Amino acid sequence: MDTPHYVAARVQQAIAEDGRTNELGIRVDVRGDQVFLRGQVTGDDQRHLLTEVAREAAPGLTVHNEVTCVEVRDPGEEEQL
């Protein structure tokens, strides 16, 4: 069985390199048979794809996607302080 550190690195690499996700800022923690994803993405679809890619990279483990979605807005007027 792979060490948690090795599994986390494999999942993180898959998330970064898979064409569906290409996410570099996702943290992956492995505890026992549990994989935790943390970070931010710009949409719910992207968030779901992270779970899919993580499950493929760590079959047999339970993936907990704690990634949050942030709204990306067009730049507005400059804030006056």
Side-chain angles (χ1 to χ4, degrees):
M1 185 170 155
D2 295 331
T3 66
H5 180 74
Y6 180 78
V7 174
R10 185 174 66 222
V11 172
Q12 199 155 20
Q13 182 176 4
I15 288 171
E17 294 178 355
D18 192 290
R20 296 169 288 176
T21 50
N22 291 116
E23 291 288 342
L24 299 175
I26 303 301
R27 290 187 321 276
V28 180
D29 295 310
V30 177
R31 293 188 198 119
D33 64 350
Q34 311 289 305
V35 177
F36 296 87
L37 307 178
R38 296 182 179 100
Q40 294 181 334
V41 292
T42 57
D44 212 36
D45 289 342
Q46 188 71 1
R47 185 177 178 276
H48 290 297
L49 286 171
L50 289 172
T51 302
E52 195 173 304
V53 171
R55 284 184 178 145
E56 292 170 8
L61 302 185
T62 303
V63 175
H64 300 277
N65 189 333
E66 299 176 353
V67 172
T68 57
C69 296
V70 293
E71 186 178 337
V72 177
R73 300 182 192 180
D74 291 329
E77 290 184 32
E78 188 175 314
E79 183 179 350
Q80 299 296 319
L81 300 176

